[in-house]
């Protein structure tokens, strides 16, 4: 095998790996956006299902217990979304 063919194979492998990197970056950004949108939708649904305003309870009334519960729920939903994305 000549030096020219080795360089050509190396250049083709580098080009295909860059193409593959681009595809993976686009997929990562797309999945991140979808995951964030699903998380926001879940928080919005949680806000609508409660008989009180979660934002008012946490911000104005300083309800720390509710803030801890909402934080735990958001973390749980995030883990579920990440598991769904990873397959």
């Amino acid at each position: 095998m000549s030096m020219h063919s080795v360089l050509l194979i190396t250049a083709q492998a580098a080009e295909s790996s860059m193409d593959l990197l681009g595809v993976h970056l686009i997929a990562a950004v797309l999945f991140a956006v979808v995951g964030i949108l699903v998380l926001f939708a879940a928080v919005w649904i949680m806000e609508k299902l409660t008989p009180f305003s979660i934002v008012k309870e946490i911000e104005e009334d300083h309800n720390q217990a509710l803030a801890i519960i909402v934080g735990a729920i958001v973390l749980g939903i995030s883990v579920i979304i990440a598991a769904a994305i990873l397959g």
Side-chain angles (χ1 to χ4, degrees), residues 11-85:
Q12 288 173 346
E15 183 179 314
S16 67
S17 68
M18 289 304 290
D19 291 340
L20 187 61
L21 176 65
V23 168
H24 284 283
L25 284 175
I26 291 170
V29 169
L30 181 66
F31 280 126
V33 169
V34 169
I36 290 168
L37 290 175
V38 170
L39 180 63
F40 280 139
V43 171
W44 181 78
I45 289 170
M46 185 173 55
E47 174 74 27
K48 294 299 177 188
L49 289 177
T50 56
F52 51 86
S53 173
I54 293 175
V55 175
K56 178 188 173 294
E57 284 290 322
I58 293 174
E59 287 182 0
E60 294 177 11
D61 298 339
H62 305 288
N63 190 340
Q64 290 181 346
L66 179 64
I68 291 170
I69 296 297
V70 169
I73 291 170
V74 167
L75 281 174
I77 293 170
S78 299
V79 168
I80 292 169
I81 292 169
I85 289 173

